[in-house]
Amino acid sequence: MTVIASISSNDLKSRRQQLKRRRQVKLIQTIWRSFFVAGLTSGLVWVVTLPNWVIYEPDQVEIEGNHLLSVAAIRSFLPLDYPQPIIELEPQKLTQEIEAIAPIAKATVTRKLLPPSLTVIIQERRPVAIARSSHPSHHTPGELEMGFIDAEGVWLPKSSYQDLDSLPDPPELVVVGLTHLLLPYWSEIYQNVQRSTVQIQEINLQTPGNLILTTEIGKVHLGVYNSDRFTEQLRVLAEMRDLPTHIQDRKIRYIDLSSPDSPSIELD
């Protein structure tokens, strides 16, 4: 019994020493690992804050996906103060700020270390109509300033584009007197106009209670806008497409389709 007790005591003592050594080794490894990670992090911070890892000028911002907006215009949208250490830039925040700009529907911003630069990939909103003020010298309350409208009813400032003639496929449709109150209806108005077989050059909203179209066959008065009735009015207008050929000796002043069931013509 004495021998067994002695062996068990020695085993326990040996195991305790082994566990103690293991704990010491593990502690040392943990300390070295912490020093290594801290050193690596400090080194990385030091490297990316070197002069070679700084955005000094707009030319270090690469723009992709633009067709309507100039590279200079998009760069000017970026809220950057040059020089800017690349590690301080927040791509997600920059993306949100760029997407808040009307002409841009979607954006993605990424950082590059070699060479230090930013890449901005954008998806633009396409203007489908020119928004024109009913009174060039002043604006009625709520009326939008001169600019453009996309298919979804987003107003795009004229200043966003250098030159209307420089736009690929510049919009031919003109909207006069568009207000913020009417913007929610623009999408359905535009979709109906697009489907019309009669070419429509202008949509005039400046007269309360009377939407006026300028078309290839003359001016058309539609009265108060109603989405369901508007579709029917355009259908009736399509049926009257050959009307000018039947009234050769008289000029059409306007076509009244405020009641599409009983259209009328006002002649000069």
Side-chain angles (χ1 to χ4, degrees):
M1 295 294 293
T2 305
V3 176
I4 295 174
S6 177
I7 292 175
S8 299
S9 176
N10 290 335
D11 287 343
L12 289 173
K13 185 177 180 180
S14 177
R15 290 178 182 177
R16 290 195 195 99
Q17 290 175 345
Q18 288 178 358
L19 289 173
K20 185 177 180 180
R21 282 196 297 270
R22 289 176 184 173
R23 285 196 292 268
Q24 289 174 341
V25 171
K26 189 174 182 180
L27 178 61
I28 292 172
Q29 289 176 339
T30 301
I31 293 172
W32 275 108
R33 190 180 295 113
S34 299
F35 276 118
F36 176 77
V37 172
L40 183 63
T41 303
S42 300
L44 181 61
V45 171
W46 176 76
V47 167
V48 296
T49 54
L50 286 173
N52 291 335
W53 301 89
V54 173
I55 302 292
Y56 282 104
E57 56 186 3
D59 286 345
Q60 289 175 265
V61 180
E62 301 174 4
I63 308 298
E64 298 179 8
N66 60 307
H67 302 287
L68 306 177
L69 299 169
S70 68
V71 169
I74 299 171
R75 285 173 175 166
S76 69
F77 295 153
L78 293 169
L80 295 179
D81 294 323
Y82 301 98
Q84 183 87 46
I86 199 166
I87 195 173
E88 295 180 3
L89 297 175
E90 301 179 42
Q92 186 174 2
K93 183 178 179 181
L94 287 174
T95 296
Q96 292 173 348
E97 294 188 10
I98 295 173
E99 289 180 345
I101 299 166
I104 298 178
K106 190 175 181 181
T108 302
V109 179
T110 56
R111 294 179 294 186
K112 291 182 180 179
L113 295 179
L114 293 173
S117 61
L118 281 181
T119 299
V120 181
I121 303 174
I122 68 166
Q123 179 181 331
E124 299 166 309
R125 296 187 184 277
R126 187 175 68 86
V128 297
I130 302 170
R132 199 179 70 200
S133 171
S134 55
H135 303 284
S137 59
H138 66 279
H139 303 284
T140 58
E143 187 177 18
L144 295 170
E145 297 179 0
M146 171 70 179
F148 302 92
I149 305 292
D150 79 343
E152 297 176 356
V154 177
W155 180 78
L156 311 172
K158 181 184 177 183
S159 59
S160 299
Y161 308 96
Q162 293 180 331
D163 183 10
L164 178 61
D165 294 332
S166 67
L167 294 177
D169 300 322
E172 298 180 355
L173 180 64
V174 176
V175 185
V176 180
L178 184 62
T179 66
H180 290 284
L181 293 176
L182 290 169
L183 273 180
Y185 303 100
W186 169 252
S187 179
E188 59 186 19
I189 291 175
Y190 177 71
Q191 289 176 15
N192 277 301
V193 167
Q194 282 290 96
R195 289 192 291 263
S196 175
T197 57
V198 176
Q199 185 182 2
I200 298 172
Q201 295 101 12
E202 181 181 285
I203 302 173
N204 193 315
L205 303 164
Q206 64 181 327
T207 304
N210 189 19
L211 189 157
I212 301 175
L213 304 179
T214 299
T215 75
E216 61 179 296
I217 62 175
K219 290 192 178 294
V220 183
H221 291 202
L222 302 179
V224 178
Y225 174 75
N226 177 280
S227 58
D228 294 332
R229 187 172 59 191
F230 187 55
T231 302
E232 177 64 14
Q233 288 168 324
L234 292 182
R235 187 192 66 79
V236 174
L237 180 63
E239 295 177 352
M240 303 174 71
R241 187 169 186 169
D242 297 330
L243 182 64
T245 61
H246 299 291
I247 312 176
Q248 297 179 357
D249 58 339
R250 300 289 299 275
K251 185 177 179 181
I252 299 174
R253 186 177 178 186
Y254 66 85
I255 300 170
D256 188 346
L257 287 179
S258 54
S259 178
D261 294 332
S262 54
S264 61
I265 304 170
E266 183 74 19
L267 301 175
D268 282 335

